[in-house]
Amino acid sequence: MAFAGMQARIADLFQSSASLCYVVLPAASIFLFDTWIPLHFAVAVLYIVVVVLATLWFKRVGILRTAALCAALTCLSFIITHGPNPDSSAAARTLISLGAIAITTKLALLNIATRERLIAVGKEKDNLARFFPQSIVEQIATNDVALSTTRYDPAAVLFVDMIGFTKFCSAMQPQDVIAMFRELLCTLSDSVFEHHGTVDKFTGDGLIAVFGLPVSNDLSATNAVRCALTMQARLQAWNDARAASGQEAVAVAIGIHYGDVVLGDVGCESRLELTVLGDTVNVASRVENHCREAKASILITDAVVRRMQREGSEGTVCRFTDRGFHTIRGHSEALRLFAFPRDAAPSTN
């Protein structure tokens, strides 16, 4: 019973009972070999193998405890073998062994730190991939400037929301609503990523996308508008498939505005969210909401058109109809809007 209790306590020190095989037994074998063989050389250096084995099974605490065990056994073997009056060569061999254990332990801890850093970077990339295209994820990962650094830069902001959300969902089962929205949001976000945009946030029945931040792009307005056209084209194809199975068609409205935005972290310390703020974001939201009144599937502002012209995208601009000036809710000044009609074919060419 006493032996079993001691065995359990030793196992607790090394985080699992497997350590009795992978750490304690090799260490004990080296101790016996070092203490009772008549050969006089630094057998204790072999303890570094035990420390290396510990890196395969344990985290920092387990490795430090393994190193402490090895150092203790080295000193105990020295005392048993040489007594109170050791010769200088024996002391030197022991010091060499202790130094080797210390160096190996340091390298093992550095290896764990590097491994954890790589895992953290991988997790961060996986998280960023939910909101950024892969090309931007790689740039962010190698950028010396923190992603959360507050900045004030021009960008194109795209709002897309489902039309008739409440009525549409009232006749569906909850699980069918969630399944439908997952498929819809996946289609929308894929279109954003393909056009070098970032998903600022999902809004339940739509999303907010930004083009030109956090990595600048010379075609930010063009990419935003082409993304909107791609969204509507894919939505049409998706609705054709839904109609074949007797499901109701889904319609979305898209509004785009171009201008300066603030990019930064908002929220409390326990839950920060990187987002864009400012009048450009508010206007894009109002423009999207105005699509219903204007009977347009996509509405873009004059600022977007002027930016696209500077980007050399007159061909895309020509696909939109000038609707003149409109006063939109929540905005004092009239905005010149350009529309893509609901009944137009939204090809991406």
Side-chain angles (χ1 to χ4, degrees), residues 291-310:
C291 284
R292 296 149 181 82
E293 182 180 334
K295 293 182 173 55
S297 62
I298 305 172
L299 278 179
I300 63 177
T301 64
D302 183 45
V304 175
V305 170
R306 285 186 275 108
R307 174 67 187 183
M308 289 177 66
Q309 289 171 338
R310 289 198 298 272

Side-chain angles (χ1 to χ4, degrees), residues 74-325:
T74 300
C75 295
L76 179 60
S77 178
F78 176 77
I79 294 171
I80 293 173
T81 304
H82 302 285
N85 299 307
D87 58 65
S88 58
S89 62
R93 288 195 299 271
T94 300
L95 290 175
I96 290 172
S97 299
L98 292 173
I101 292 171
I103 292 172
T104 305
T105 303
K106 177 65 175 178
L107 293 175
L109 294 175
L110 289 175
N111 178 65
I112 284 184
T114 301
R115 191 166 59 203
E116 289 178 346
R117 201 157 47 241
L118 290 174
I119 292 173
V121 169
K123 289 182 178 179
E124 182 179 359
K125 284 186 176 182
D126 289 342
N127 185 55
L128 290 172
R130 297 168 54 210
F131 301 97
F132 302 97
Q134 190 59 40
S135 58
I136 293 181
V137 169
E138 296 298 331
Q139 291 183 59
I140 292 173
T142 57
N143 201 338
D144 293 333
V145 180
L147 178 62
S148 59
T149 301
T150 302
R151 65 193 76 175
Y152 189 71
D153 287 315
V157 180
L158 179 152
F159 271 72
V160 53
D161 276 306
M162 181 178 169
I163 297 174
F165 166 76
T166 303
K167 180 181 178 182
F168 189 91
C169 296
S170 61
M172 297 176 65
Q173 294 297 319
Q175 62 271 22
D176 295 330
V177 172
I178 295 300
M180 185 272 291
F181 275 120
R182 283 179 177 171
E183 192 170 353
L184 173 63
L185 294 177
C186 182
T187 300
L188 297 177
S189 58
D190 284 348
S191 300
V192 173
F193 296 158
E194 288 181 16
H195 292 84
H196 313 290
T198 64
V199 175
D200 181 74
K201 63 174 62 70
F202 293 101
T203 59
D205 60 339
L207 59 81
I208 306 170
V210 183
F211 298 80
L213 284 176
V215 178
S216 61
N217 191 302
D218 294 335
L219 296 174
S220 53
T222 300
N223 287 335
V225 173
R226 288 177 179 171
C227 173
L229 292 169
T230 298
M231 286 178 173
Q232 294 291 6
R234 289 182 175 172
L235 186 65
Q236 182 174 301
W238 185 48
N239 281 329
D240 291 341
R242 287 174 59 84
S245 58
Q247 294 176 296
E248 189 177 349
V250 175
V252 299
I254 304 175
I256 307 174
H257 186 46
Y258 183 88
D260 290 331
V261 299
V262 177
L263 173 71
D265 285 337
V266 297
C268 60
E269 288 298 325
S270 61
R271 187 172 182 180
L272 290 173
E273 180 181 81
L274 185 69
T275 189
V276 289
L277 303 168
D279 186 60
T280 298
V281 180
N282 296 332
V283 170
S285 174
R286 302 302 187 190
V287 169
E288 179 274 318
N289 192 63
H290 194 69
C291 284
R292 296 149 181 82
E293 182 180 334
K295 293 182 173 55
S297 62
I298 305 172
L299 278 179
I300 63 177
T301 64
D302 183 45
V304 175
V305 170
R306 285 186 275 108
R307 174 67 187 183
M308 289 177 66
Q309 289 171 338
R310 289 198 298 272
E311 294 171 355
S313 302
E314 289 83 358
T316 305
V317 172
C318 291
R319 302 188 62 185
F320 287 78
T321 303
D322 188 348
R323 291 286 185 87
F325 288 87

Side-chain angles (χ1 to χ4, degrees), residues 17-100:
S17 59
S19 64
L20 293 176
C21 295
Y22 297 111
V23 170
V24 176
L25 292 181
S29 300
I30 295 171
F31 169 75
L32 294 174
F33 187 67
D34 187 33
T35 303
W36 277 282
I37 65 167
L39 300 176
H40 296 289
F41 57 90
V43 176
V45 171
L46 294 176
Y47 283 119
I48 65 175
V49 176
V50 180
V51 176
V52 171
L53 287 174
T55 63
L56 302 176
W57 305 101
F58 306 131
K59 297 182 180 179
R60 289 183 178 84
V61 174
I63 291 174
L64 288 172
R65 287 171 176 169
T66 300
L69 173 66
C70 293
L73 291 177
T74 300
C75 295
L76 179 60
S77 178
F78 176 77
I79 294 171
I80 293 173
T81 304
H82 302 285
N85 299 307
D87 58 65
S88 58
S89 62
R93 288 195 299 271
T94 300
L95 290 175
I96 290 172
S97 299
L98 292 173

